[in-house]
Amino acid sequence: MGYFPFFVEIGEQSGLVVGGGRVALHKLQKLLPYEPRLTVVAPVISEELGQFALENDICVINRGFEPGDLTGRHFVIAASDDREVNAAIGRLCREKGILVNVVDDKTACGFIFPSLVKAGKLSIGISTAGASPAAAAALRSQIASQIPADMEEILDYLDRLRRLAREHIADGGRRAAFLRDMAELCMDAGAVFDEQETMQRIAEYTQDRQQESVGSVEGVLLVGAGCGSYDLITLRGLRAIRRARVLVYDDLIDRRLLEYASESCERIYVGKRSGRHSMPQEEINGLLVQKAQEGGLVVRLKGGDPYVFGRGMEELRALREAGIRADYVPGITSCIAIPAFAGIPVTHREVSRSFHVITGHTAGGGLAQDIDFAALARLEGTLVFLMGLGHLAQIAEALMRAGKEASTPAAVVHGGFDSAVTTVRGQLSDIAARADAALIQPPAVIVVGNAVDILGE
């Protein structure tokens, strides 16, 4: 069971902390920035807590807890060194309908303390439902490191901006787009705009035609999601997802990327994948045109890079032929990244001065008949075949017939969304049999050349 993260106003609310030691002090320090009226009750008060209470005008009652101490309280923290006292306070609070936190006893709690990040108006609470406070603390540190140093100033500025936007931008859709884009810009820059820059940007959203940029709120963006884990997407691609009104996505993306879309974003799965197409390419093109004509930003999220065997140019041409503005955000392609995760660089000085990427299947699913295997066999660089696992034996045999040495190092690499890979190494003569024995599953990248053995097995 999890805990729903209500954000409750406790300013000027009466709170009681029972306990005078280190744990009680920690709870006081967490609560104080939210400006409740706090009282501490304990028979023994540590010097550190006493000094903190004196500096922050916190009432301290130097005695044991009494049931009457609960009168008029909105919330209570039982943080004494006596577990029985804490448990009794928990029972009394539940009987009286008072929210209570009992330290080190999750079952007795009406609420729990999250791991907190606070910067001005920003409050982020992280909870593991008590399973691992250490994991929550680690996540807190990661999140805190990404918050701009001037976050309080940024939020105050964005708050004022809402009033300005209501005064100057009549259209509700453009106003929402303006506020969203300004928030993104401020967060990216870690700073706010001066009055002149602010009014200039407001003016851009009051005109009939909005500014032309990759961050535009109109048209379609073809976005490469990268390959493997969600955090390999570019910052520009991630910003596009956050701004999208519609998100059209494929199989080969990490689904965690969908969590970055707004709650109102329409998510459409088109599931394009070799041998398992849930929507033909022509229908995807038509869908993108239709959604773009409805207005707002449409993001076409494609695994890897849209222009590396991703049919991205087909979609872009269809959009532009329909008179729709379309742009492109590159992504990390599997032909480089997946071998690299397996310790295989596609180029390396004195070993491979070039690399060549070849599709392993045609639109109909077979191996292309016009591949010049003789030309490929003569190349000294690295050969990378994408979408060719089902034709691995044919590819290896064709290269050997064309003159490639049977002893040429070869590998098949399968990558997952955690950036982990399964790798089978061998030679052209046995790589197909080795991959079959290892039960390698698609998607997989085939690599042929001396770069395979740079790091050894």
Side-chain angles (χ1 to χ4, degrees), residues 317-365:
R317 289 177 62 183
L319 289 162
R320 291 191 174 173
E321 286 171 3
I324 293 165
R325 182 174 184 273
D327 285 305
Y328 157 77
V329 177
I332 296 175
T333 173
S334 61
C335 66
I336 297 173
I338 296 300
F341 287 141
I344 303 171
V346 292
T347 65
H348 185 70
R349 189 176 61 172
E350 299 179 357
V351 175
S352 175
R353 295 185 176 89
S354 63
F355 71 96
H356 312 268
V357 186
I358 307 102
T359 180
H361 78 105
T362 64

Coordinates of all heavy atoms in Angstrom, one line a residue, residues 317-365:
R317 N 8.1 14.2 -45.2 CA 7.6 14.6 -46.5 C 6.1 14.6 -46.6 O 5.5 15.5 -47.2 CB 8.2 13.6 -47.6 CG 9.7 13.8 -47.8 CD 10.2 12.8 -48.8 NE 9.7 13.0 -50.1 CZ 9.9 12.2 -51.1 NH1 10.8 11.1 -51.0 NH2 9.4 12.4 -52.3
A318 N 5.4 13.6 -46.0 CA 4.0 13.5 -46.0 C 3.4 14.8 -45.3 O 2.4 15.3 -45.8 CB 3.5 12.2 -45.4
L319 N 4.0 15.1 -44.2 CA 3.5 16.3 -43.5 C 3.7 17.6 -44.3 O 2.8 18.4 -44.4 CB 4.2 16.4 -42.1 CG 3.9 15.3 -41.1 CD1 4.9 15.2 -40.0 CD2 2.5 15.6 -40.5
R320 N 4.9 17.7 -44.9 CA 5.1 19.0 -45.6 C 4.3 19.1 -46.9 O 3.9 20.2 -47.3 CB 6.6 19.1 -45.9 CG 7.4 19.3 -44.6 CD 8.9 19.7 -44.9 NE 9.5 20.1 -43.6 CZ 10.8 20.3 -43.5 NH1 11.6 20.3 -44.6 NH2 11.3 20.6 -42.3
E321 N 4.0 17.9 -47.5 CA 3.1 17.9 -48.7 C 1.7 18.3 -48.3 O 1.0 18.9 -49.1 CB 3.1 16.5 -49.3 CG 4.4 16.2 -50.1 CD 4.5 14.8 -50.5 OE1 3.5 14.0 -50.3 OE2 5.5 14.4 -51.1
A322 N 1.4 18.1 -47.0 CA 0.0 18.5 -46.5 C 0.0 19.9 -46.0 O -1.0 20.4 -45.5 CB -0.4 17.6 -45.4
G323 N 1.2 20.6 -46.2 CA 1.3 22.0 -45.7 C 1.5 22.2 -44.2 O 1.2 23.2 -43.7
I324 N 2.0 21.1 -43.6 CA 2.2 21.2 -42.1 C 3.7 21.3 -41.8 O 4.5 20.6 -42.4 CB 1.6 19.9 -41.5 CG1 0.1 19.8 -41.6 CG2 2.0 19.8 -40.0 CD1 -0.5 18.5 -41.4
R325 N 4.0 22.2 -40.9 CA 5.3 22.4 -40.5 C 5.8 21.2 -39.7 O 5.2 20.8 -38.7 CB 5.4 23.7 -39.6 CG 6.9 24.0 -39.2 CD 6.9 25.3 -38.4 NE 8.3 25.7 -38.1 CZ 8.9 25.3 -37.0 NH1 8.3 24.6 -36.1 NH2 10.1 25.7 -36.7
A326 N 7.0 20.7 -40.1 CA 7.5 19.5 -39.4 C 9.0 19.7 -39.2 O 9.7 20.2 -40.1 CB 7.3 18.2 -40.2
D327 N 9.5 19.3 -38.0 CA 10.9 19.5 -37.7 C 11.4 18.1 -37.1 O 10.6 17.2 -36.9 CB 11.1 20.6 -36.7 CG 11.0 22.0 -37.4 OD1 11.7 22.2 -38.3 OD2 10.2 22.8 -36.9
Y328 N 12.7 18.1 -36.9 CA 13.4 16.9 -36.5 C 14.3 17.1 -35.3 O 15.0 18.1 -35.3 CB 14.2 16.4 -37.7 CG 15.3 15.5 -37.5 CD1 15.1 14.1 -37.2 CD2 16.6 15.9 -37.6 CE1 16.2 13.3 -37.0 CE2 17.7 15.1 -37.3 CZ 17.5 13.8 -37.1 OH 18.6 12.9 -36.9
V329 N 14.2 16.2 -34.4 CA 15.1 16.2 -33.2 C 15.9 14.8 -33.3 O 15.3 13.8 -33.1 CB 14.4 16.3 -31.9 CG1 15.3 16.3 -30.7 CG2 13.6 17.6 -31.9
P330 N 17.2 14.9 -33.4 CA 17.9 13.6 -33.6 C 17.9 12.8 -32.3 O 17.7 13.3 -31.2 CB 19.4 14.1 -33.9 CG 19.4 15.5 -33.5 CD 18.1 16.0 -33.6
G331 N 18.2 11.5 -32.5 CA 18.3 10.6 -31.3 C 19.6 9.7 -31.4 O 20.2 9.6 -32.5
I332 N 20.0 9.1 -30.3 CA 21.1 8.2 -30.3 C 20.7 6.9 -31.1 O 19.8 6.3 -30.7 CB 21.6 7.9 -28.9 CG1 22.1 9.2 -28.2 CG2 22.7 6.9 -28.9 CD1 22.4 9.0 -26.8
T333 N 21.4 6.6 -32.1 CA 21.1 5.4 -32.9 C 21.7 4.1 -32.4 O 22.8 4.1 -31.9 CB 21.5 5.7 -34.4 OG1 21.2 4.5 -35.1 CG2 22.9 6.0 -34.5
S334 N 20.9 3.1 -32.6 CA 21.4 1.8 -32.1 C 22.6 1.2 -32.8 O 23.3 0.4 -32.2 CB 20.2 0.8 -32.2 OG 19.8 0.6 -33.5
C335 N 22.8 1.7 -34.0 CA 24.0 1.1 -34.8 C 25.3 1.5 -34.1 O 26.3 0.9 -34.4 CB 23.9 1.6 -36.2 SG 24.1 3.3 -36.5
I336 N 25.3 2.6 -33.3 CA 26.5 3.0 -32.6 C 26.4 2.6 -31.1 O 27.4 2.0 -30.6 CB 26.7 4.5 -32.7 CG1 26.9 4.9 -34.2 CG2 27.9 5.0 -31.9 CD1 27.0 6.4 -34.4
A337 N 25.3 2.9 -30.5 CA 25.2 2.8 -29.0 C 25.1 1.3 -28.6 O 25.8 1.0 -27.6 CB 23.9 3.5 -28.6
I338 N 24.3 0.5 -29.2 CA 24.2 -0.9 -28.8 C 25.5 -1.7 -28.8 O 25.9 -2.3 -27.8 CB 23.1 -1.7 -29.5 CG1 21.7 -1.0 -29.3 CG2 23.1 -3.1 -29.1 CD1 21.3 -1.0 -27.8
P339 N 26.3 -1.6 -29.9 CA 27.6 -2.2 -29.9 C 28.5 -1.6 -28.8 O 29.3 -2.3 -28.2 CB 28.2 -1.9 -31.3 CG 27.0 -1.8 -32.2 CD 26.0 -1.1 -31.3
A340 N 28.4 -0.3 -28.6 CA 29.3 0.4 -27.6 C 29.0 -0.1 -26.2 O 29.9 -0.3 -25.4 CB 29.1 1.9 -27.7
F341 N 27.7 -0.4 -25.9 CA 27.3 -0.9 -24.6 C 28.0 -2.3 -24.4 O 28.2 -2.7 -23.3 CB 25.8 -1.0 -24.5 CG 25.1 0.3 -24.3 CD1 23.9 0.5 -24.8 CD2 25.7 1.3 -23.5 CE1 23.2 1.7 -24.7 CE2 25.0 2.5 -23.3 CZ 23.8 2.7 -23.9
A342 N 28.2 -3.0 -25.5 CA 28.9 -4.3 -25.4 C 30.4 -4.2 -25.5 O 31.1 -5.3 -25.6 CB 28.4 -5.2 -26.6
G343 N 30.9 -3.0 -25.5 CA 32.4 -2.8 -25.5 C 32.9 -2.9 -26.9 O 34.1 -3.2 -27.1
I344 N 32.1 -2.6 -27.9 CA 32.5 -2.7 -29.3 C 32.4 -1.3 -29.9 O 31.3 -0.8 -30.2 CB 31.7 -3.7 -30.2 CG1 31.7 -5.1 -29.5 CG2 32.1 -3.7 -31.6 CD1 30.7 -6.1 -30.2
P345 N 33.5 -0.6 -30.2 CA 33.4 0.7 -30.9 C 33.3 0.4 -32.4 O 34.0 -0.4 -32.9 CB 34.8 1.3 -30.5 CG 35.7 0.2 -30.3 CD 34.9 -1.0 -29.8
V346 N 32.5 1.2 -33.0 CA 32.4 0.9 -34.5 C 33.6 1.4 -35.3 O 33.8 1.0 -36.4 CB 31.1 1.5 -35.1 CG1 29.9 0.8 -34.5 CG2 31.0 3.0 -34.8
T347 N 34.3 2.4 -34.7 CA 35.6 2.8 -35.2 C 36.7 2.8 -34.1 O 36.4 3.0 -33.0 CB 35.6 4.2 -35.9 OG1 35.3 5.2 -34.8 CG2 34.5 4.3 -36.9
H348 N 37.9 2.5 -34.6 CA 39.0 2.6 -33.7 C 40.3 2.7 -34.5 O 40.5 2.0 -35.5 CB 39.1 1.3 -32.8 CG 40.2 1.3 -31.8 ND1 40.1 2.1 -30.7 CD2 41.4 0.6 -31.7 CE1 41.2 2.0 -29.9 NE2 42.0 1.1 -30.5
R349 N 41.2 3.6 -34.1 CA 42.4 3.9 -34.8 C 43.2 2.6 -35.1 O 43.4 1.8 -34.2 CB 43.3 4.9 -34.0 CG 44.4 5.4 -34.8 CD 45.2 6.4 -34.0 NE 45.7 5.9 -32.8 CZ 46.5 6.6 -32.0 NH1 46.9 7.8 -32.3 NH2 47.0 6.0 -30.9
E350 N 43.6 2.5 -36.4 CA 44.4 1.3 -36.9 C 43.6 0.0 -36.9 O 44.2 -1.0 -37.3 CB 45.7 1.2 -36.1 CG 46.6 2.4 -36.2 CD 47.9 2.3 -35.4 OE1 48.0 1.2 -34.7 OE2 48.7 3.2 -35.5
V351 N 42.4 0.0 -36.5 CA 41.6 -1.3 -36.5 C 40.4 -1.1 -37.5 O 40.2 -1.9 -38.3 CB 41.1 -1.7 -35.1 CG1 40.2 -2.9 -35.2 CG2 42.3 -2.0 -34.2
S352 N 39.7 0.0 -37.3 CA 38.5 0.3 -38.2 C 38.4 1.8 -38.4 O 38.1 2.5 -37.4 CB 37.3 -0.3 -37.5 OG 36.1 0.1 -38.3
R353 N 38.7 2.2 -39.6 CA 38.7 3.7 -39.9 C 37.3 4.1 -40.5 O 37.2 5.3 -40.8 CB 39.8 4.0 -40.9 CG 41.2 3.8 -40.3 CD 42.3 4.3 -41.3 NE 43.6 4.2 -40.7 CZ 44.4 3.2 -40.8 NH1 44.0 2.1 -41.5 NH2 45.6 3.2 -40.3
S354 N 36.4 3.2 -40.6 CA 35.1 3.5 -41.1 C 34.1 2.5 -40.6 O 34.4 1.5 -40.1 CB 35.1 3.5 -42.6 OG 35.3 2.2 -43.1
F355 N 32.8 2.9 -40.6 CA 31.8 1.9 -40.4 C 30.6 2.1 -41.3 O 30.4 3.2 -41.9 CB 31.3 2.0 -38.9 CG 30.5 3.2 -38.5 CD1 29.1 3.2 -38.5 CD2 31.1 4.4 -38.2 CE1 28.3 4.3 -38.2 CE2 30.4 5.5 -37.8 CZ 29.0 5.4 -37.8
H356 N 29.9 1.1 -41.6 CA 28.9 1.1 -42.6 C 27.6 0.4 -42.1 O 27.7 -0.7 -41.5 CB 29.4 0.3 -43.8 CG 30.8 0.7 -44.2 ND1 31.0 1.7 -45.1 CD2 32.0 0.3 -43.8 CE1 32.3 1.9 -45.2 NE2 33.0 1.1 -44.4
V357 N 26.5 1.0 -42.2 CA 25.2 0.6 -41.6 C 24.4 0.1 -42.8 O 24.1 0.8 -43.7 CB 24.5 1.7 -40.9 CG1 23.3 1.2 -40.2 CG2 25.5 2.3 -39.9
I358 N 23.9 -1.2 -42.6 CA 23.1 -1.8 -43.7 C 21.8 -2.4 -43.0 O 21.8 -2.9 -41.9 CB 23.9 -3.0 -44.3 CG1 25.3 -2.5 -44.7 CG2 23.1 -3.6 -45.4 CD1 26.4 -2.9 -43.8
T359 N 20.7 -2.2 -43.7 CA 19.4 -2.8 -43.3 C 19.4 -4.3 -43.5 O 19.9 -4.7 -44.5 CB 18.2 -2.1 -44.0 OG1 17.0 -2.7 -43.4 CG2 18.3 -2.3 -45.5
G360 N 18.9 -5.0 -42.5 CA 18.9 -6.4 -42.6 C 17.7 -7.0 -43.2 O 17.5 -8.2 -43.3
H361 N 16.7 -6.1 -43.5 CA 15.5 -6.7 -44.1 C 14.8 -5.6 -45.0 O 15.0 -4.4 -44.8 CB 14.5 -7.2 -43.1 CG 13.7 -6.2 -42.4 ND1 12.4 -5.9 -42.6 CD2 14.1 -5.3 -41.4 CE1 12.0 -4.9 -41.8 NE2 13.0 -4.5 -41.1
T362 N 14.0 -5.9 -45.9 CA 13.2 -5.0 -46.7 C 11.9 -4.7 -46.1 O 11.5 -5.3 -45.0 CB 13.0 -5.6 -48.1 OG1 12.2 -6.8 -48.0 CG2 14.3 -6.0 -48.8
A363 N 11.1 -3.8 -46.7 CA 9.8 -3.5 -46.2 C 8.9 -4.8 -46.2 O 8.0 -4.9 -45.3 CB 9.1 -2.4 -47.1
G364 N 9.2 -5.7 -47.1 CA 8.4 -7.0 -47.1 C 8.9 -8.0 -46.1 O 8.2 -9.1 -45.9
G365 N 10.0 -7.7 -45.4 CA 10.4 -8.6 -44.4 C 11.6 -9.5 -44.8 O 12.2 -10.2 -43.9

